[in-house]
Amino acid sequence: MNSRPRTQEAEKRKGRMRAVIDGAKRLGQFSLDQLKATVNEEQAVFVTRTVKLLEQAGLLQVASEKPRAWTWSSALAGWDHELWLERQTKGDQIQAAPEQDRPRERLIRVGPRALKQSELLAILIRSGRQGESALQAGERIANHFSGRLHRLPDASRHELKIVSQAVSETAWCQIMAGIELGRRVADEIATHRPLVRINGTADAIAYCEHEFRRLITDGAKEEFHIVCLDTKNQVTGHHQISVGTLDASLVHPREVFRKAISEAAASILLVHNHPSGDSTPSRQDREVTQRLEEAGKLIGIRVLDHVIVASQGSVCLRDCG
């Protein structure tokens, strides 16, 4: 079959989408009517569909409801719009994407730990559907479960089908099988892994940078975790407490120490990330730490330290004065 007409059609569609994006960038904040007037050579339904795709990708966000208007999100700063256009116009199958962007090829080249959650999901989904590649499906699922990935194992096929039409029964089975196999491997590793002992700042930073490397490399939002330790300062486990900008309303002592008490922890280590890459403690970081230290004294569970992990280096609050 001659692929030239298909390629020409894809290039034409890419040009039309580029015109809509350029118009939206010129306006900054806009309603659909304003955008349609700016790119009046395009069909109204095409403009609406493009805006919806940009919103689903997290690039546009709703600025107001009445009248409904959009504005660009902070994700625009690191957006490769040409790659995005390529996926929208030629990405019905992963094989249509540039070779260096294909998840399986990336896994072979750089290893599974370097892949984003969306790419790992795309490999499990394997094939997409008309208008949506496996990679796009993976991105939608990863965005849907952002900050609550622990809920993915409980997702029914119907729930994932609502998120992405590309999730067939086979794809759902592959995702669930992959999760269960990963869980069993993790249990087996934990059974045979010697307990890690944290005796000081260097130990705390080394442990957190290893265990929470996902937050350093991929963390788009702040996440707050605790590490539980026994009477010998040996790590017995860690738990996610909240997702979002660190403040007292999100990190309540009740939620923090409920996990610690259930694990019979003698002490805990507080951990959270700074997506900006700068690990300098904020006023809120210090206030939350002080509040939890005071609560820990009443309960009898010591707060050893608060580690902030970031791409430009990690710090312990006790070292920061």
Side-chain angles (χ1 to χ4, degrees), residues 27 40 70 106 138 150 219 222 230 232-233 247 280 312:
L27 290 171
N40 52 22
W70 288 264
R106 273 180 38 77
H150 61 286
E222 288 193 17
D230 62 16
K232 296 180 179 179
N233 280 1
D247 59 36
T280 304
Q312 296 174 19

Side-chain angles (χ1 to χ4, degrees), residues 28-47:
Q29 181 171 319
F30 58 87
S31 66
L32 277 177
D33 287 342
Q34 289 172 325
L35 184 56
K36 289 171 184 176
T38 301
V39 288
N40 52 22
E41 71 276 9
E42 295 296 345
Q43 296 178 358
V45 67
F46 184 84
V47 174

Side-chain angles (χ1 to χ4, degrees), residues 267-296:
S267 58
I268 60 174
L269 193 64
L270 313 178
V271 186
H272 88 283
N273 64 309
H274 279 183
S276 66
D278 181 359
S279 59
T280 304
S282 67
R283 176 178 56 81
Q284 290 89 343
D285 296 342
R286 297 182 185 279
E287 289 175 353
V288 167
T289 304
Q290 184 178 0
R291 185 184 186 199
L292 293 176
E293 285 176 339
E294 292 171 354

Side-chain angles (χ1 to χ4, degrees), residues 5-296:
R6 183 182 298 176
T7 301
Q8 291 175 339
E9 181 62 30
E11 289 300 318
K12 181 179 178 182
R13 185 165 183 264
K14 187 193 296 186
R16 295 177 66 198
M17 294 183 80
R18 188 183 290 109
V20 175
I21 291 169
D22 289 345
K25 283 184 175 180
R26 287 196 299 271
L27 290 171
Q29 181 171 319
F30 58 87
S31 66
L32 277 177
D33 287 342
Q34 289 172 325
L35 184 56
K36 289 171 184 176
T38 301
V39 288
N40 52 22
E41 71 276 9
E42 295 296 345
Q43 296 178 358
V45 67
F46 184 84
V47 174
T48 302
R49 188 181 300 122
T50 302
V51 168
K52 185 176 180 181
L53 287 171
L54 291 166
E55 184 179 359
Q56 288 174 343
L59 296 161
L60 285 177
Q61 59 189 21
V62 176
S64 64
E65 288 292 348
K66 292 184 179 180
R68 192 171 180 84
W70 288 264
T71 188
W72 293 98
S73 73
S74 58
L76 183 65
W79 181 41
D80 186 339
H81 71 280
E82 285 300 323
L83 178 57
W84 185 84
L85 286 169
E86 190 78 16
R87 288 178 181 173
Q88 304 307 312
T89 55
K90 298 181 181 179
D92 293 342
Q93 299 296 329
I94 284 179
Q95 287 79 4
E99 184 173 352
Q100 70 274 11
D101 193 45
R102 298 175 195 170
R104 282 194 291 271
E105 281 74 2
R106 273 180 38 77
L107 186 147
I108 293 169
R109 189 172 70 253
V110 299
R113 289 187 176 182
L115 268 62
K116 296 183 291 186
Q117 290 170 6
S118 58
E119 294 175 307
L120 295 171
L121 285 163
I123 291 173
L124 293 170
I125 293 168
R126 292 189 63 185
S127 60
R129 60 189 289 274
Q130 184 67 30
E132 184 177 25
S133 70
L135 187 54
Q136 290 168 326
E139 288 172 345
R140 289 187 178 182
I141 295 172
N143 289 337
H144 183 76
F145 287 94
S146 177
R148 54 192 188 98
L149 196 62
H150 61 286
R151 299 284 181 85
L152 182 57
D154 300 322
S156 66
R157 184 203 165 196
H158 175 69
E159 182 180 351
L160 292 189
K161 191 76 171 177
I162 292 174
V163 178
S164 169
Q165 290 296 310
V167 180
S168 63
E169 183 177 88
T170 299
W172 179 80
C173 288
Q174 288 167 171
I175 291 171
M176 293 302 138
I179 291 172
E180 179 58 22
L181 180 60
R183 185 190 66 78
R184 295 183 189 185
V185 170
D187 287 347
E188 195 74 15
I189 291 173
T191 301
H192 295 90
R193 178 189 295 166
L195 292 176
V196 176
R197 181 172 292 177
I198 294 178
N199 291 321
T201 297
D203 291 343
I205 289 178
Y207 175 83
C208 292
E209 286 190 336
H210 178 267
E211 290 297 318
F212 300 99
R213 59 185 175 274
R214 174 186 64 83
L215 298 184
I216 297 174
T217 58
D218 295 337
K221 298 180 180 178
E222 288 193 17
E223 294 186 24
F224 185 84
H225 297 246
I226 63 168
V227 177
C228 295
L229 303 100
D230 62 16
T231 55
K232 296 180 179 179
N233 280 1
Q234 296 178 130
V235 175
T236 59
H238 53 79
H239 305 277
Q240 182 187 75
I241 303 300
S242 68
V243 178
T245 302
L246 197 65
D247 59 36
S249 64
L250 277 177
V251 184
H252 196 283
R254 179 180 60 248
E255 302 305 321
V256 171
F257 289 102
R258 176 187 297 162
K259 295 288 187 183
I261 292 169
S262 69
E263 211 165 289
S267 58
I268 60 174
L269 193 64
L270 313 178
V271 186
H272 88 283
N273 64 309
H274 279 183
S276 66
D278 181 359
S279 59
T280 304
S282 67
R283 176 178 56 81
Q284 290 89 343
D285 296 342
R286 297 182 185 279
E287 289 175 353
V288 167
T289 304
Q290 184 178 0
R291 185 184 186 199
L292 293 176
E293 285 176 339
E294 292 171 354

